[in-house]
Amino acid sequence: MTSLGGRALRLTVYIGEDDTWHHKPLYSEIVHRAHAAGLAGASVFRGIEGFGASSRIHTSRLLSLSEDLPVAVVVVDTEERVRAFLPQLDELVHEGLVTLDACEVVRYVGRVAGPDTGDAKGKSQL
């Protein structure tokens, strides 16, 4: 597991839920590449309403059938590791917004797998 604490960089990629990379959801490709790059973690958040550079409002309300809702992929790691990952986003993200924010990691603790079941036993790895 990656160790992380103190000063860090938060990378947020805002894209549409329907955006794809080789017939696969773009958000999934970003998460898998972040994992392969050894970044500390990545999460995907689905928005209920929003608009971007196209000025078209995407919403889960009305009868729009939840068309292309906004999605945010958030990655937090050291500045060095996040910046090393940016060239991959240049390849993947053709429409959307990519932001970087300085942040402070207060706690980053994973789970320890149990010996038989692979379940978490609540033991801290710090």
Side-chain angles (χ1 to χ4, degrees), residues 46-61:
R46 183 178 189 220
I48 59 171
E49 188 167 49
F51 71 94
S54 69
S55 293
R56 181 170 170 244
I57 293 180
H58 303 270
T59 181
S60 62
R61 295 181 303 137

Side-chain angles (χ1 to χ4, degrees), residues 1-2 11 24 26-44 73-77 81-82 84-85 88-89 92 108:
M1 180 176 131
T2 302
L11 163 69
K24 178 178 169 181
L26 178 57
Y27 60 83
S28 181
E29 183 67 18
I30 294 169
V31 168
H32 283 86
R33 287 194 185 199
H35 184 260
L39 293 172
S43 297
V44 179
V73 182
V74 179
V75 176
V76 176
D77 207 322
R81 285 185 255 191
V82 169
F85 184 67
Q88 292 200 51
L89 293 179
L92 295 172
Y108 177 68

Side-chain angles (χ1 to χ4, degrees), residues 82-106:
V82 169
R83 290 195 182 277
F85 184 67
L86 291 178
Q88 292 200 51
L89 293 179
D90 286 339
E91 176 188 356
L92 295 172
V93 180
H94 300 289
E95 294 178 0
L97 174 67
V98 177
T99 64
L100 295 172
D101 301 290
C103 64
E104 181 179 355
V105 174
V106 176

Side-chain angles (χ1 to χ4, degrees), residues 106-125:
V106 176
R107 183 170 170 84
Y108 177 68
V109 181
R111 298 179 190 178
V112 177
D116 298 326
T117 63
D119 292 337
K121 298 296 182 190
K123 297 177 185 172
S124 173
Q125 291 184 349

